[in-house]
């Protein structure tokens, strides 16, 4: 197995750093899948047990000026690694204003993802900062557990409000309850609701819009004003909202 890649564009490096920071906030460890066209960061905790499942896909040509890899075999041309998310995020934080960043799979008595960062010094000469991030090579027999998750059919899909606004609202609601009710309909309405024996609090978002396929996913005779609802652990939702570093153009909630 071989892997080496290089980023020289400042905007690409900044975006890659923010993706890494987001993943570090979601889970302590993650899987990294390296293929000829893509990098995937994967979290595969059991959602039914309260875990976080994530599939983050990066087209390598959108980030790297150089990219070379050889997988475990010609038939299975991919590399799967397990790493500590915070280690990668911490290494990339030192790459602010870097001239270039190189990532390479190495063996230093144990497998490592070696991150080399070329920084400019005050004298305009460059210096290299190197981080060796320990990784575990995931054997081929376990790859089946790290596939892209399927999105279940939903009754309603709705665009979310600005995530920073949503996070601010949910943080205040956390002081009232550990559980949150999310309601949405096909008219683009979204409600965040807390219900306890002592208080009922609801925050309403109107005219958010629905993804084009939402009405096709839902029952044809569903009343657009009819609310679908889910009950979730408010701490898990805040974990997701706090981890958002990539400023998405749009986020979608499916119920």
């Amino acid at each position: 197995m071989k892997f080496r890649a290089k980023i020289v564009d400042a905007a690409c490096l900044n975006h890659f750093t923010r993706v890494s920071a987001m993943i570090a906030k979601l889970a302590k460890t993650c899987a990294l899948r390296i293929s000829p066209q893509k990098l995937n960061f994967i979290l595969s905790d059991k959602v039914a047990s309260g875990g976080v499942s994530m599939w983050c896909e990066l087209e390598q040509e959108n980030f790297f000026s150089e990219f070379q890899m050889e997988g475990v075999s010609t038939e299975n041309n991919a590399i799967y690694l397990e790493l500590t998310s915070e280690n990668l995020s911490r290494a990339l934080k030192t790459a602010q204003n870097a001239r270039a960043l190189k990532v390479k799979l190495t063996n230093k008595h144990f497998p490592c993802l070696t991150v080399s960062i070329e920084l400019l010094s005050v004298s305009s000469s460059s210096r290299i900062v190197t981080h060796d991030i320990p990784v575990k090579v995931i054997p081929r027999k376990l790859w089946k557990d790290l596939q892209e998750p399927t999105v279940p059919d939903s009754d309603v899909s709705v665009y979310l409000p600005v995530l920073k606004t949503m996070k601010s609202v949910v943080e205040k609601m956390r002081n009232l309850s550990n559980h949150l009710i999310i309601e949405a309909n096909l008219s683009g309405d979204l409600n965040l609701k807390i219900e306890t024996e002592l208080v009922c609090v609801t925050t309403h978002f109107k005219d958010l819009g629905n993804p084009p396929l939402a009405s096709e996913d839902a029952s044809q005779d569903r009343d657009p004003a009819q609310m679908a609802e889910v009950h979730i652990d408010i701490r898990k939702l805040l974990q997701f909202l706090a981890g958002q570093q990539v400023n998405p153009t749009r986020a979608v909630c499916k119920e």
Side-chain angles (χ1 to χ4, degrees):
M1 296 183 299
K2 297 180 181 179
F3 168 63
R4 64 170 63 218
K6 182 177 182 180
I7 301 177
V8 295
D9 183 84
C12 294
L13 180 54
N14 180 53
H15 194 73
F16 191 69
T17 300
R18 283 189 280 124
V19 169
S20 173
M22 175 189 71
I23 294 165
K25 288 180 178 293
L26 291 176
K28 291 182 179 179
T29 62
C30 71
L32 172 62
R33 176 182 181 269
I34 304 167
S35 65
Q37 287 80 36
K38 298 174 182 178
L39 290 185
N40 296 99
F41 291 98
I42 307 166
L43 305 178
S44 58
D45 290 349
K46 299 298 182 183
V47 177
S49 303
V52 176
S53 180
M54 182 199 73
W55 180 269
C56 176
E57 188 168 281
L58 307 177
E59 296 281 350
Q60 63 93 351
E61 63 180 10
N62 293 336
F63 289 85
F64 300 97
S65 58
E66 299 176 15
F67 190 94
Q68 300 174 0
M69 65 83 59
E70 293 179 13
V72 297
S73 67
T74 304
E75 298 78 19
N76 298 293
N77 194 17
I79 302 171
Y80 284 73
L81 306 173
E82 180 183 300
L83 55 89
T84 300
S85 308
E86 181 61 29
N87 287 347
L88 178 60
S89 177
R90 190 182 298 118
L92 293 178
K93 284 179 181 178
T94 64
Q96 293 182 353
N97 303 317
R99 175 182 288 179
L101 177 142
K102 296 180 181 178
V103 185
K104 184 179 180 181
L105 183 60
T106 58
N107 188 355
K108 302 190 176 182
H109 304 297
F110 50 85
C112 283
L113 205 59
T114 297
V115 178
S116 298
I117 301 165
E118 183 180 351
L119 299 170
L120 283 176
S121 64
V122 177
S123 61
S124 297
S125 61
S126 62
R127 57 191 177 94
I128 304 297
V129 177
T130 301
H131 303 265
D132 290 322
I133 302 170
V135 298
K136 295 180 182 178
V137 178
I138 300 174
R140 175 73 182 85
K141 63 183 179 181
L142 298 181
W143 290 10
K144 64 181 184 301
D145 299 326
L146 298 169
Q147 302 304 308
E148 183 174 2
T150 57
V151 179
D153 293 335
S154 58
D155 294 318
V156 172
S157 296
V158 65
Y159 291 120
L160 291 176
V162 176
L163 295 185
K164 286 185 178 180
T165 301
M166 186 173 175
K167 176 175 175 284
S168 177
V169 171
V170 175
E171 282 179 334
K172 293 179 175 64
M173 289 182 160
R174 178 179 56 181
N175 299 324
L176 302 175
S177 175
N178 291 327
H179 293 88
L180 178 73
I181 301 171
I182 301 180
E183 298 178 331
N185 63 21
L186 294 175
S187 295
D189 300 326
L190 178 76
N191 298 331
L192 304 178
K193 182 187 294 186
I194 291 290
E195 288 183 348
T196 71
E197 294 180 357
L198 299 177
V199 66
C200 178
V201 178
T202 305
T203 299
H204 302 272
F205 296 93
K206 300 290 187 181
D207 302 319
L208 295 173
N210 303 91
L213 297 179
S215 59
E216 296 179 17
D217 292 341
S219 173
Q220 294 296 319
D221 56 357
R222 185 179 182 88
D223 181 356
Q226 180 184 354
M227 289 290 185
E229 69 174 45
V230 293
H231 296 239
I232 65 170
D233 186 327
I234 202 166
R235 294 168 299 177
K236 293 294 183 181
L237 179 59
L238 276 175
Q239 182 184 14
F240 162 74
L241 293 172
Q244 293 309 300
Q245 307 283 321
V246 296
N247 301 321
T249 304
R250 273 181 167 172
V252 178
C253 175
K254 291 178 176 283
E255 299 184 11

